[in-house]
Structure formats: C-alpha cells, structure tokens
Amino acid sequence: MKGNNSTCTLSSENKPPPTPKELEGRGQWGSKAEFILTVMGAIIGPGNVWRFPYLCYRNGGGVFFIPYTLFMITCGIPLFFLETALGQYTSQGSVTCWRRICPLFQGMGYASHLIIAFSATSYIIIIAWAFFYLFLSFSAELPWASCGHEWNTDSCLDINHPNLSLSMTSRRNTTLPVVEFWERRVLKISSGIEEVGSLRWELALCLILSWVICYFCIWKGIKSTGKASFFTATFPFVMLFVLLIRGVTLPGAIDGIVYYLYPDISRLSDPQVWMDAGTQIFFSYAIGLGFLTSLGSYNTYNNDCYRDCFYLCLLNSATSIVSGFAIFSVLGFMTNEQGVDISEVAQSGPGLAFIVYPRAVAMMPMPQVWSVCFFLMIILLGLDSQFVGLECLMTSMTDLFPAYFRRGYRRELILLAICSVCCLLGLCLVTEGGMYLLHLLDHHVCSGTTLLILSLFQSVSIAWVYGADRFYSNITEMIGYRPYPLMKYCWRYITPFFCFGTFIFSIVKYTPLKFSNTYVYPLWANILGWFIATVSLSLIPLFVVHKIIRGKGTLRQRFLLLCQPVDLALDRKGFPTMAAAALTERKPLSCNVQLTQGAQSVDFYQE
C-alpha cells in the first residue's frame, strides 16, 4: 500500500498538470510573411488615401511634410517599435501585457480597447460607402459621371455632354456631377448634426454586408487573418500604382502636384498643422490602440521586430505620400476642367476619395472596370484595418480569460455578439445626418487628443516606470543585437515632450469643430465629443485607483509594488525571474515556468 502511494507520487511529479483537450493553444503566425502583411493591412488603409492628402490640402500643401517627418522620426517609429516589441516580449495582448510589465497602467489597455470599439463602429462606414459605389459601378453608365439624374440640380456641370451643361462663363457657380452624387445621392446629407434625418437603407444593407465579411475574415483567429492578408494587403498597391500613372498623365495634373508640394511656411505657426501632423502619425501607424502589441504577440520570441518595424513605418509613410500625388494630380485636372482655384474643388474630408477618385476612373477607358477595381481596393484596405482591430479585441479577451474563450465555439460566439452590437450602433452613422456624427467621432475619439494622451502614458510607463534601459536590454535579448540608442532616448525624453507639447498647444489654440470649413458644430455636439473621449481616457486613472485600493500594505508599498513587473514581484518570494529564464531558454515572458515541489506544480502567472 505504501509502495503504491510512492509510485503515484512519482508519476504526478513527472507529468504536467492535465489540460482539457478542448482548450486550444494561443497560436503563432504561420510565417513571417503573415505578420508583415497583416501589419501592413492594419496600418495602411483608406486613411492613407483620403486622410493624408486631405490634411496636406487643409494645412498648406507641402509644408505639412515638415511636422509630419519630425513626428515620424521622434514619435512614430519609436512608439511603433515599442508596442510591437512589447507584444513580442510578453506574448500577450494589449491588456494583459501591461499586467505583466507594469500593473499600475493596466487601464491603458482597457482605454485603448474602448477607443477600438468606437473606431470599429465608425471606421467601417467607409467600407459601406465603397460597397455602395462598387455595386453602382456595374451600371451601363457610371451614375456620377454625368448630369441629368433625379438627384442632380440645375447647376450641375457636365463637360462630357455640352448640350446638358451650363455655359462655360457660369462655371464658378456650378457643381460637378460627382459632387452632387456624393452629397445628394449617397449621403443625402442634412443641414447639420441636429437634423438626424431618416435611415439610408441602401447604406444600411452595405453596412451589414461589411460586418458579415469582416466576421468571417477573423472568426478563426490569426489562422484566417494571416491567410487573408496575402491578398487584401497586396492588391491595393497594384491599383494605387495604376491610378497614379493615370492621374499624372491628365491635363492640368502638374498644377495640382505643385499645390501639393509647394510649402506655405507661414502655416507652421498654426498649432492645428502640428496637431494634424502628430495625430496623422499616431492614426496611420495605429499607435496607442494596441494593434501592434496584439499582432506582435504572435511572433516567435527571437523575431527581428526592430528591422520589421522600421521598414513597415517607411512603407506606410511612402504610401501616404504617393496617394497624395494620385489625389492632387486629379485635383489639378478638375480645377483645369472647372476653371476654379484648386482649394474650391473638394471640401469634405473622407469624401475626398469618393469625389476625386470616382471622377478619375470615369475618365478612363472602360470606366466600369476601373471603378470596380478602385472600390474593391478601398474595401480591401478598410477590411484589413477593421478585422485587425477586432482581432486585437479578441486577443485581449482570450488572454484575460483563456480557460473560457479557448473552448469550443465560445470565441466565435462572443465575436458574433461584438459585431452585431457594433453594427446596430453604426446604423446611426448611415442616416442623413450621420456624416456629421462620424466626423465628430473621428475628431474627438478615434484620433487627436486621445491618441496623444495614450502615447504619452505609454512612453512614460515604459521609459520611467518599467525602465527604458531594462526594456532596451529585453529587446537586445530577443533580437540578438542592440537597436539604435535613439529609440531609448525618444521613449524617455523626446516622445513625451512632443506629445505633451502638442497636447498643450492644441488646448491653448482650441477652435470649435467645423465640417467642410462651412458648418460649425454646436456647443452641445463638442461637449458630447469630449465626453466620449473622456470616458475612454478616464479608465487609466480609474484602474490606478482600483489597483491601489485592492493592494496590501501602506500606500507607498502598494504604489511601488504596482510599478514593478510581475516577475520581480515573484522574485521576492524566492522564485527565479522570467528575465533570467529568458536568458537561458530564449522563451517569451508569458511562457509558463512550472516548479515541482513534491507533487505540487506552481504556475508563475496564474492569478
């Protein structure tokens, strides 16, 4: 009897704790190409096509390159690298990674995820618009290429059919058919945000279709996401190059390119130019949202993420600049066609891509073919960014509750619930006044101040709480060589300075939000936008208070303990740190090191 007990003890000591068969593993990328292409899809989206050229147009043309390049070097690339390396080192999503590295700032993960939820609800509207244009591209004649439709006004100017056009002397008081199609057919835009209007059922159906496609792109996790990115991340570049070649060969294109490149130095004194440059970097690089941390967490521990991040950032900025050439070459043609100043051609932000590009494809041979290809490109660009955001949410949820979400079809069901709720909330954005609400959310919640503050907290928590030198050493352990020291100094000094300075600058020079430079948002609308932004950012201090209240010991002891990574806290109990384990075993921070004492197994990070 005694011998039997001894045998059982030895058997239990040699075997790891039983794992249910239905509990699925976390998974990794099938290849490095999957990681590169998925990140490309996440950071290169419709914003590169319409947002960057629009910001150049609004902020004095080529002068915008100066603050943009400065923010790219001092904030964009260092923070992009920081987030990716953080995910790769911890092998955790953007919530649990902070629990491991710096528990005091765990609220940053929840704040970024709330912003992702708002962004996912609003961002997908662009895809719905693109689907609407795509379906109408199969018409015998593109409906935005000519006048004479029920939505056109008497001032519609149709160069292709002179008998339907106004006299050439009246061009300054006319509008192009593509503009009237966008405002009067697609949006049926109301007079302001206070006038919601009726639901645009055609756009609502396109919105539902977008969510269905997005769901099935990611319902199996990175296995389906990585494979889909081979097509969705590469095809848009082919179409962008074709449209660029067509644009620069149009008459008057050089005038638009000169306006795009010629800098107005006086605009550098405008704080909005610097604010737009910084937020464009944070928005287009997907900084502060947790995308990069989640995607990087599926890398192998020794992946050279430093080189990957550097080239991905350059590719993102190059795509934005090339898109600007494609946009402004067509703008120059349109001004030559209509006989007005280039600043009067297009006035709306996201609508720039739905005014200029449709006009460009309408002038090509076989316009239906080019229209289908272009809007398919917009859809693929949007879907990439959209399903990466949702994948980030699901990654964090499964990392928080692995025992629950990695069984059966629970992950698929919770993803279905998230998509359904976001789709229902998005219906208010496809009303006649939805465009005003979309612009409000984009300005206050999904970019601007929120991303600046998140980036500030992120750099401070890593550089000053966890330690820039320590994190720099962790990265050296992973990739096998020391990155350029500028990264460390940017995290510690330069990035926080630029983020905080831009934030203060924007508050001092604050002006009420406008739409199309003509409509000024009412006070209550601005208050609503700031309230939504504050709700997400308030999660950071709320979690700090929550963690301190739940801690043990004096207030100072609680605070110091929450500022330490989990492995150091365990080191006080006599266990080896994960940093030491990584040096010998070359494994990520999240690996479960088990010590056997008798027949008992201890998991370091089990809470």
Side-chain angles (χ1 to χ4, degrees):
M1 194 72 177
K2 183 178 179 180
N4 291 339
N5 290 339
S6 175
T7 301
C8 293
T9 302
L10 289 173
S11 176
S12 63
E13 289 177 353
N14 293 330
K15 292 182 180 180
T19 303
K21 294 182 179 180
E22 63 272 20
L23 188 63
E24 301 176 0
R26 192 175 188 276
Q28 284 186 329
W29 297 112
S31 63
K32 185 169 184 173
E34 290 187 5
F35 166 70
I36 296 295
L37 292 175
T38 304
V39 176
M40 280 175 53
I43 64 177
I44 300 175
N48 296 83
V49 175
W50 64 259
R51 187 181 176 90
F52 181 84
Y54 172 65
L55 291 177
C56 285
Y57 150 76
R58 192 175 72 178
N59 293 307
V63 74
F64 188 69
F65 290 155
I66 298 175
Y68 179 83
T69 304
L70 189 61
F71 270 98
M72 178 183 70
I73 296 173
T74 58
C75 298
I77 296 177
L79 287 176
F80 191 99
F81 177 47
L82 183 150
E83 291 193 24
T84 307
L86 179 62
Q88 182 172 311
Y89 182 65
T90 60
S91 287
Q92 291 292 304
S94 52
V95 172
T96 49
C97 71
W98 292 109
R99 178 194 291 176
R100 307 268 172 105
I101 288 290
C102 185
L104 185 68
F105 287 97
Q106 188 178 344
M108 280 196 299
Y110 292 101
S112 65
H113 280 56
L114 186 56
I115 295 174
I116 290 176
F118 284 118
S119 179
T121 303
S122 58
Y123 190 81
I124 201 170
I125 304 299
I126 298 173
I127 306 175
W129 292 338
F131 267 119
F132 185 76
Y133 274 83
L134 176 67
F135 295 144
L136 292 179
S137 298
F138 292 98
S139 306
E141 180 184 1
L142 295 180
W144 57 82
S146 61
C147 300
H149 302 282
E150 59 180 354
W151 58 82
N152 291 126
T153 63
D154 294 336
S155 60
C156 182
L157 173 66
D158 191 346
I159 295 295
N160 297 324
H161 300 86
N163 60 319
L164 298 178
S165 304
L166 298 176
S167 63
M168 302 298 285
T169 58
S170 304
R171 286 188 174 188
R172 290 187 178 274
N173 298 320
T174 62
T175 54
L176 291 174
V178 66
V179 176
E180 292 195 348
F181 177 82
W182 167 248
E183 295 179 351
R184 299 175 60 85
R185 175 68 177 93
V186 180
L187 299 179
K188 287 190 176 179
I189 192 166
S190 65
S191 60
I193 192 173
E194 58 277 345
E195 185 181 340
V196 178
S198 60
L199 181 69
R200 299 283 294 111
W201 65 268
E202 294 163 311
L203 292 180
L205 293 177
C206 292
L207 177 64
I208 295 173
L209 175 63
S210 302
W211 276 112
V212 170
I213 295 175
C214 187
Y215 173 78
F216 284 107
C217 280
I218 63 171
W219 72 321
K220 291 299 181 182
I222 61 169
K223 294 180 181 178
S224 57
T225 303
K227 299 299 185 294
S229 63
F230 277 95
F231 175 71
T232 59
T234 55
F235 177 78
F237 284 94
V238 177
M239 284 310 306
L240 182 60
F241 178 75
V242 171
L243 292 170
L244 172 65
I245 298 300
R246 176 55 178 163
V248 297
T249 57
L250 293 171
I254 187 65
D255 297 329
I257 294 176
V258 168
Y259 184 86
Y260 176 50
L261 296 177
Y262 185 79
D264 180 7
I265 302 298
S266 63
R267 293 302 307 276
L268 291 177
S269 62
D270 185 354
Q272 189 60 46
V273 175
W274 294 86
M275 184 71 175
D276 286 343
T279 54
Q280 172 62 15
I281 286 291
F282 297 134
F283 183 80
S284 64
Y285 283 18
I287 292 173
L289 296 175
F291 288 7
L292 303 172
T293 304
S294 295
L295 297 179
S297 69
Y298 294 108
N299 278 332
T300 57
Y301 182 70
N302 299 114
N303 176 63
D304 191 352
C305 57
Y306 177 63
R307 184 180 60 183
D308 295 344
C309 293
F310 185 78
Y311 289 126
L312 283 168
C313 289
L314 292 183
L315 178 63
N316 177 278
S317 296
T319 303
S320 298
I321 294 173
V322 171
S323 298
F325 278 96
I327 281 280
F328 276 86
S329 61
V330 181
L331 275 176
F333 170 76
M334 294 176 69
T335 58
N336 180 72
E337 179 184 72
Q338 199 174 3
V340 296
D341 186 79
I342 194 170
S343 61
E344 301 178 25
V345 172
Q347 296 294 330
S348 58
L352 192 63
F354 294 94
I355 294 175
V356 177
Y357 271 52
R359 182 58 181 164
V361 299
M363 295 178 293
M364 298 181 183
M366 298 184 296
Q368 289 81 0
V369 174
W370 295 109
S371 182
V372 168
C373 291
F374 170 71
F375 289 111
L376 184 60
M377 177 192 75
I378 294 293
I379 291 169
L380 293 177
L381 284 172
L383 283 176
D384 268 335
S385 302
Q386 184 72 11
F387 63 60
V388 167
L390 292 175
E391 181 64 45
C392 177
L393 289 176
M394 294 308 302
T395 295
S396 296
M397 293 184 69
T398 52
D399 285 342
L400 281 169
F401 310 102
Y404 182 81
F405 286 111
R406 292 180 187 171
R407 299 174 187 266
Y409 293 97
R410 294 178 180 178
R411 184 189 186 279
E412 288 84 349
L413 292 176
I414 192 64
L415 176 62
L416 178 62
I418 292 175
C419 291
S420 300
V421 172
C422 290
C423 183
L424 291 174
L425 294 175
L427 291 178
C428 64
L429 299 177
V430 290
T431 59
E432 294 176 354
M435 185 64 177
Y436 298 100
L437 182 57
L438 176 64
H439 186 57
L440 183 74
L441 290 174
D442 176 67
H443 180 80
H444 286 291
V445 184
C446 303
S447 61
T449 305
T450 53
L451 296 187
L452 281 173
I453 294 178
L454 281 175
S455 300
L456 175 63
F457 274 106
Q458 187 171 252
S459 58
V460 168
S461 61
I462 290 294
W464 293 99
V465 180
Y466 182 75
D469 291 327
R470 176 191 289 175
F471 192 61
Y472 192 74
S473 299
N474 297 149
I475 294 172
T476 303
E477 294 170 9
M478 285 196 302
I479 64 178
Y481 64 92
R482 299 179 69 83
Y484 194 63
L486 177 63
M487 294 290 173
K488 180 169 59 175
Y489 297 115
C490 283
W491 298 335
R492 186 177 290 166
Y493 304 109
I494 304 176
T495 300
F497 173 78
F498 271 90
C499 291
F500 185 73
T502 306
F503 171 67
I504 297 299
F505 210 30
S506 64
I507 293 178
V508 172
K509 298 293 185 179
Y510 173 78
T511 56
L513 179 63
K514 293 182 179 180
F515 178 79
S516 295
N517 293 327
T518 55
Y519 174 77
V520 179
Y521 280 78
L523 178 61
W524 66 265
N526 283 282
I527 294 175
L528 175 63
W530 283 114
F531 173 76
I532 298 175
T534 304
V535 167
S536 58
L537 293 175
S538 64
L539 294 178
I540 301 176
L542 287 177
F543 265 86
V544 171
V545 174
H546 172 71
K547 288 287 186 179
I548 291 178
I549 291 176
R550 291 192 59 186
K552 297 180 179 179
T554 64
L555 184 62
R556 183 175 183 274
Q557 290 174 336
R558 298 179 190 183
F559 181 81
L560 293 176
L561 184 62
L562 289 171
C563 289
Q564 294 179 351
V566 173
D567 57 326
L568 288 185
L570 291 170
D571 187 40
R572 291 181 175 180
K573 299 179 181 179
F575 295 110
T577 66
M578 286 305 300
L583 286 171
T584 56
E585 300 183 13
R586 306 292 290 171
K587 292 182 179 180
L589 184 64
S590 66
C591 64
N592 295 327
V593 180
Q594 295 175 346
L595 300 178
T596 308
Q597 297 177 352
Q600 185 178 7
S601 177
V602 180
D603 189 338
F604 278 0
Y605 293 121
Q606 190 68 35
E607 293 188 356

